[in-house]
Amino acid sequence: CVVSPLCLYGLASGWHVGNVFAGDARMAAIEWAKENFPSRAKVETAGHCPDWKFLEDRTIQVTRFPQGVTRNLAFRENLADNPWVRDRLARNMQEAEPALLTAESLRQRGPDIITIDSFYVEDERDAAPFMQRLLAGELGYRKVFEQQTPLPPAWVYPQRPDFTCGTFYILVRE
């Protein structure tokens, strides 16, 4: 009977995928932050990072990196004459202006801690050069936490469950 092996495969895959979520690098980052974040900190964070303001016994000021920079630039380039897009794009560009992703802008904002997930580095094509310099330690921050979410065995479906983080980084100002 074909049903029994399929059910067993589904159960085994489900168990492995559950372990991927439990082993998500962001979970380890939360534990690291509980032990190592100072009592007061200014944290700049990418979109798929934990919300650090909920850490107990700490006063954390959270600022988000601009999201959708690549998308906004594509809309500006291809749909600038559309009034519906133009109005929304003007609002979006206030929060996701490429000029925010510069060394000088980062210096002015002056976060104590920066948290980044690989979604942001991979998906934001226009932010990638800035992020690579940041992760390389060229912008006055050093990595203190880097962890990758383990992948399930090759036979498991789905191989990369949605919303699990690939690699997670925490950087502190030098």
Side-chain angles (χ1 to χ4, degrees), residues 12-31:
S13 287
W15 183 80
H16 280 294
V17 168
N19 284 338
V20 169
F21 279 103
D24 191 307
R26 292 172 290 194
M27 298 302 153
I30 290 169
E31 293 307 313

Side-chain angles (χ1 to χ4, degrees), residues 13 16-17 20 150-161:
S13 287
H16 280 294
V17 168
V20 169
L151 291 174
W155 55 266
V156 171
Y157 178 82
Q159 186 58 188
R160 293 198 65 121

Side-chain angles (χ1 to χ4, degrees), residues 33-80:
K34 287 177 183 177
E35 297 294 321
N36 295 287
F37 272 24
S39 60
R40 300 181 66 80
K42 191 173 174 184
V43 179
E44 192 151 325
T45 186
H48 294 89
C49 295
D51 198 341
W52 304 111
K53 67 183 176 186
F54 294 114
L55 286 177
E56 294 177 8
D57 303 324
R58 288 177 177 77
T59 305
I60 306 290
Q61 178 187 341
V62 177
T63 305
R64 294 262 182 212
F65 272 116
Q67 292 288 112
V69 173
T70 299
R71 179 189 60 234
N72 287 338
L73 292 174
F75 282 158
R76 184 166 63 187
E77 183 179 308
N78 299 311
L79 299 168

Side-chain angles (χ1 to χ4, degrees), residues 134-163:
L134 187 60
L135 291 171
E138 297 174 13
L139 301 177
Y141 290 82
R142 65 179 167 81
K143 281 188 238 174
V144 293
F145 180 91
E146 178 179 355
Q147 185 167 325
Q148 187 163 358
T149 300
L151 291 174
W155 55 266
V156 171
Y157 178 82
Q159 186 58 188
R160 293 198 65 121
D162 289 344
F163 305 108

